[in-house]
Amino acid sequence: MKAAFVGKGGSGKTTLAGLFCRFLAAQDGRSLLAVDADINQHLAVALGADPDEAVRLPALGNHLETVKDYLRGDNPRIAATSAMLKTTPPGPGSRLLRVAEPNPLYDRLVHRVGGVRLAVTGPFAAGDLGVACYHSKVGAVELMLNHLVDGAGDYVVVDMTAGADSFASGLFTRFDLTFLVCEPTVRGVGVYRQYVGYARDYGVRVAVVGNKVDDADDVAFLREEVGEDLLCWIGRSGFVKAAERGRFLPIEALEPANASALATMRTALDGCTKDWERYAAQAAEFHARNAVAWGNARTGADLAEQIEPGFTLATATAAAP
């Protein structure tokens, strides 16, 4: 399953993404790949990396052409790597990724941090300031998710940009379940309403996880404002506070109530039905949009022809030797 973490800036989205990753990594028989796609790039630190170590991790955004070249494989519908957009979907001949299976991209761009395999999009570089959009950086993440097959016992967890910034690309449709981290405040609920207003039009499953919850009044507020979307909540935590001060305790030391909330999140994710057809259709839809909006003019070709009718990751893996 693929899961995203979204929410208002400062809601604790990255903290909970890191906590959930550590929880999953401690489960036997499960394969996990974490991706930091937030402009602030704090997931590595949330997993236990020293800040100086975190900034030295290789960035996906700096290796976009490498990612494209590898995933293109010998797909006959893609004339050249330069003709690939961040939305280019896979087709016959494309190289597909699997969560636990080694490949050259993982060797170069994925590193273990705090017991979790992590890839980072990377921050703005000095040359990007004033001339580039951060969403061009997350193109590598979108391409990799478009080509990634997750099977039984596999998890992909992505820490997304804050607020509604996630909707600047089709990346928000690449998940089986989106965890929206929501504080029991008017502003937190406002981001929830904005997000689901966009997401529901695309069949995106959203589950609200309350955070920084102090008492029953906080829970009652969230229930009143988000209704049945409220999945669970995380209370104030000495475990989390210790981590934010650089002291990482074993995941078994997490407070029982908060550990139960993480288990509820895992159960909800496990209970999702994989819909490869919708996944492929939405990838094709957003690729066609980007082709018409700017891709065709940039490359001088009709990039919608890169879409292979009827191709899904499920059919591709079933036909593979």
Side-chain angles (χ1 to χ4, degrees), residues 137-201:
K137 295 282 188 180
V138 300
V141 179
E142 188 166 356
L143 274 170
M144 289 175 69
L145 292 184
N146 277 349
H147 291 74
L148 195 150
V149 183
D150 45 312
D154 289 339
Y155 295 92
V156 181
V157 175
V158 180
D159 184 23
M160 299 279 280
T161 53
D165 280 354
S166 301
F167 295 99
S169 74
L171 186 57
F172 74 97
T173 66
R174 304 293 81 197
F175 305 99
D176 301 292
L177 183 60
T178 295
F179 293 116
L180 194 151
V181 179
C182 187
E183 297 171 279
T185 65
V186 170
R187 286 194 299 166
V189 169
V191 170
Y192 156 78
R193 290 179 178 151
Q194 183 183 36
Y195 199 96
V196 296
Y198 294 127
R200 292 279 159 77
D201 290 340

Side-chain angles (χ1 to χ4, degrees), residues 6-320:
V6 302
K8 180 180 71 68
S11 64
K13 168 182 66 67
T14 298
T15 298
L16 285 195
L19 199 59
F20 190 58
C21 285
R22 293 183 64 196
F23 179 78
L24 291 177
Q27 312 296 309
D28 291 336
R30 298 174 189 271
S31 300
L32 170 65
L33 176 65
V35 181
D36 191 345
D38 186 359
I39 188 172
N40 293 311
Q41 296 290 284
H42 292 322
L43 185 56
V45 174
L47 291 172
D50 179 271
D52 292 335
E53 173 193 356
V55 299
R56 291 195 297 269
L57 293 174
L60 295 173
N62 295 336
H63 297 278
L64 180 57
E65 295 307 309
T66 299
V67 172
K68 288 180 178 181
D69 190 57
Y70 180 80
L71 297 178
R72 175 192 173 204
D74 57 5
N75 185 338
R77 287 184 171 270
I78 303 174
T81 299
S82 59
M84 292 182 73
L85 308 183
K86 63 181 181 179
T87 53
T88 298
S94 297
R95 289 194 178 100
L96 303 182
L97 307 175
R98 288 164 180 79
V99 175
E101 185 176 296
N103 64 69
L105 294 185
Y106 290 174
D107 292 343
R108 185 170 183 177
L109 300 172
V110 175
H111 293 267
R112 192 168 292 275
V113 176
V116 174
R117 293 161 60 238
L118 173 69
V120 302
T121 302
F124 271 126
D128 298 325
L129 298 178
V131 297
C133 169
Y134 183 70
H135 301 99
S136 64
K137 295 282 188 180
V138 300
V141 179
E142 188 166 356
L143 274 170
M144 289 175 69
L145 292 184
N146 277 349
H147 291 74
L148 195 150
V149 183
D150 45 312
D154 289 339
Y155 295 92
V156 181
V157 175
V158 180
D159 184 23
M160 299 279 280
T161 53
D165 280 354
S166 301
F167 295 99
S169 74
L171 186 57
F172 74 97
T173 66
R174 304 293 81 197
F175 305 99
D176 301 292
L177 183 60
T178 295
F179 293 116
L180 194 151
V181 179
C182 187
E183 297 171 279
T185 65
V186 170
R187 286 194 299 166
V189 169
V191 170
Y192 156 78
R193 290 179 178 151
Q194 183 183 36
Y195 199 96
V196 296
Y198 294 127
R200 292 279 159 77
D201 290 340
Y202 290 89
V204 173
R205 301 183 187 98
V206 176
V208 173
V209 178
N211 193 32
K212 304 178 185 177
V213 171
D214 287 320
D215 51 33
D217 287 343
D218 286 344
V219 176
F221 175 83
L222 288 171
R223 285 196 188 282
E224 182 177 352
E225 297 295 333
V226 309
E228 62 183 16
D229 284 341
L230 181 62
L231 175 66
C232 60
W233 54 90
I234 301 289
R236 297 286 181 175
S237 170
F239 180 95
V240 170
K241 182 179 289 187
E244 290 176 342
R245 293 174 175 175
R247 187 165 63 94
F248 284 81
L249 303 173
I251 193 67
E252 292 78 14
L254 182 66
E255 297 85 359
N258 290 333
S260 178
L262 296 179
T264 298
M265 294 166 64
R266 183 195 62 204
T267 299
L269 185 57
D270 289 344
C272 293
T273 301
K274 180 70 72 176
D275 190 346
W276 288 120
E277 287 72 24
R278 178 182 68 83
Y279 198 79
Q282 289 179 334
E285 175 186 350
F286 280 97
H287 181 61
R289 286 189 187 185
N290 278 267
V292 170
W294 61 276
N296 292 348
R298 194 192 76 176
T299 62
D302 181 4
L303 299 184
E305 293 182 356
Q306 294 177 345
I307 300 169
E308 178 74 19
F311 184 92
T312 72
L313 292 174
T315 56
T317 54

